[in-house]
Amino acid sequence: MVSCGLIELWVMVKIYLLAAFLAIRELIFDHLCDKNSFSSEISQSECCKGPLRCVIVTGANGTIGSEVVKDLLGLGFRVHALVHGVHKNTLPVNPLLFLHEADFSDIHEVRRLTATLIKSVTRIDLVVCCAGVMLADRKIIDGIESHFMVNVMSQAFLLDRIENLFTPSTRIVFLSSATARCSYHQFGENMLSEYIGPYQAYAFSKLLLAVFVSESARERSWSIVSLHPGTVPGGLYRNANSVVRFVNRHFLPYLMRTPETSSRLVLHTALRHDFSNGCYYEDTKVVNVCQGISENDRKQIYQEVQRRIGIWRC
């Protein structure tokens, strides 16, 4: 039996090695890609045409989320931005922007938020799920560990509650992470409350998210994908150790992908004409991040998420 300490150490080492590899790969990709062509593809997407479109953005005041909101406003979308924390008022003033405050670690606030959205929105054309937490200390909320609550469960519950507002062309995009590849796989009835350590909790939550997206595409009439938006320095690292926070604040912004580039990648994935339902993307390419997870485990994960949602519906 491998100890929890060794599992956490192994996952942490893999995450930092992967981050170094991705930083180099993304630097090359960002240098070689044609940014003007990228922007042109986004603006010419069929999803940007027709009457005023409505978008829901979770984590809308985060490092990437705020840029996504700005780009969507620039494309003429009506944006309902779901925000939380001290920086909730940093988004631009715009007649097409509507702010809603909610803490995605509190399912009661998410339930209240969904009631507000159902009253104020008549249709939803796009949902961009940017809310996330990383490297937090162990915290169990309503029987669910906080990484799973914020990164997966609360946003899955939100989608379930507002599903009646979706149109046949509605698309859903989750910001995931390549660290899902680094997760230690251990599935069981208590998987949503598991906490071996902060690195494993984050990586495992992103793996479960990729599975949830894949299974939702099969089980629901949703057009849904997830993607790794890039290794972007920012607020997601607020729970890291002091050395990582220092490097993140003073050095990494000059070496790694910018939030602006990440936002363009998110929107390109969301609006592309060859949208591959249920898939996980890295730098515009489909990657099988769930490889090695059996059909039974995939079904178990999806069913457990749905079971919890069913409890919260009551």
Side-chain angles (χ1 to χ4, degrees):
M1 186 85 177
V2 181
S3 72
C4 292
L6 286 177
I7 292 173
E8 175 67 4
L9 177 62
W10 178 231
V11 172
M12 180 184 71
V13 169
K14 288 199 294 182
I15 285 177
Y16 281 120
L17 290 175
L18 178 63
F21 166 75
L22 290 175
I24 295 171
R25 191 183 75 177
E26 290 164 10
L27 183 67
I28 296 171
F29 176 86
D30 295 348
H31 177 72
L32 295 179
C33 76
D34 186 340
K35 295 181 176 60
N36 291 330
S37 175
F38 228 51
S39 299
S40 178
E41 286 182 45
I42 293 172
S43 62
Q44 293 176 13
S45 168
E46 289 296 321
C47 299
C48 295
K49 299 176 182 178
L52 194 63
R53 299 295 179 116
C54 180
V55 184
I56 304 292
V57 181
T58 72
N61 56 327
T63 302
I64 298 175
S66 59
E67 293 300 325
V68 169
V69 169
K70 293 173 187 175
D71 284 344
L72 285 167
L73 291 172
L75 291 169
F77 284 87
R78 183 189 299 271
V79 180
H80 288 264
L82 315 186
V83 300
H84 174 65
V86 295
H87 301 296
K88 57 181 175 289
N89 295 322
T90 58
L91 293 171
V93 176
N94 190 299
L96 296 178
L97 177 62
F98 305 87
L99 297 180
H100 307 271
E101 186 172 0
D103 179 357
F104 274 78
S105 68
D106 186 337
I107 200 64
H108 302 292
E109 285 201 25
V110 178
R111 183 182 287 111
R112 174 188 54 77
L113 171 65
T114 60
T116 300
L117 290 174
I118 290 170
K119 291 179 181 178
S120 58
V121 177
T122 57
R123 60 177 275 176
I124 298 171
D125 299 285
L126 175 64
V127 183
V128 184
C129 296
C130 302
V133 64
M134 181 174 74
L135 306 184
D137 292 334
R138 183 179 186 272
K139 183 179 180 182
I140 304 298
I141 307 163
D142 198 17
I144 299 174
E145 198 278 322
S146 62
H147 289 84
F148 302 113
M149 179 65 86
V150 176
N151 297 344
V152 185
M153 294 303 304
S154 289
Q155 296 181 96
F157 178 68
L158 172 70
L159 295 176
D160 182 84
R161 295 290 79 202
I162 63 175
E163 182 178 18
N164 288 340
L165 300 175
F166 295 168
T167 72
S169 60
T170 297
R171 292 181 174 183
I172 304 163
V173 178
F174 269 95
L175 269 61
S176 186
S177 171
T179 58
R181 303 180 184 189
C182 304
S183 171
Y184 172 73
H185 300 181
Q186 189 174 30
F187 306 112
E189 63 180 39
N190 297 319
M191 62 183 136
L192 296 181
S193 60
E194 176 189 292
Y195 187 89
I196 291 175
Y199 288 92
Q200 164 63 7
Y202 178 68
F204 193 32
S205 73
K206 292 301 186 179
L207 179 63
L208 294 191
L209 174 60
V211 173
F212 167 75
V213 167
S214 176
E215 292 301 300
S216 294
R218 297 202 299 183
E219 300 290 338
R220 311 285 283 264
S221 56
W222 292 354
S223 296
I224 181 171
V225 298
S226 60
L227 83 154
H228 170 67
T231 46
V232 179
L236 195 61
Y237 292 83
R238 61 186 175 275
N239 296 314
N241 63 60
S242 57
V243 174
V244 172
R245 292 200 306 271
F246 179 83
V247 173
N248 172 72
R249 185 180 304 113
H250 297 288
F251 296 102
L252 296 186
Y254 303 101
L255 302 173
M256 300 172 81
R257 177 169 286 169
T258 66
E260 294 81 6
T261 299
S262 181
S263 175
R264 281 195 293 268
L265 182 64
V266 170
L267 293 184
H268 180 269
T269 303
L271 303 174
R272 58 190 298 161
H273 69 278
D274 56 345
F275 190 87
S276 296
N277 199 21
C279 290
Y280 162 86
Y281 286 88
E282 289 180 7
D283 291 346
T284 74
K285 304 298 183 183
V286 172
V287 176
N288 187 6
V289 77
C290 300
Q291 187 175 13
I293 302 177
S294 69
E295 285 294 317
N296 286 338
D297 286 334
R298 294 183 188 213
K299 291 182 184 299
Q300 181 185 9
I301 291 166
Y302 181 77
Q303 288 169 1
E304 179 60 16
V305 171
Q306 294 305 310
R307 186 183 73 82
R308 297 280 184 155
I309 290 174
I311 293 172
W312 291 334
R313 285 197 200 107
C314 300

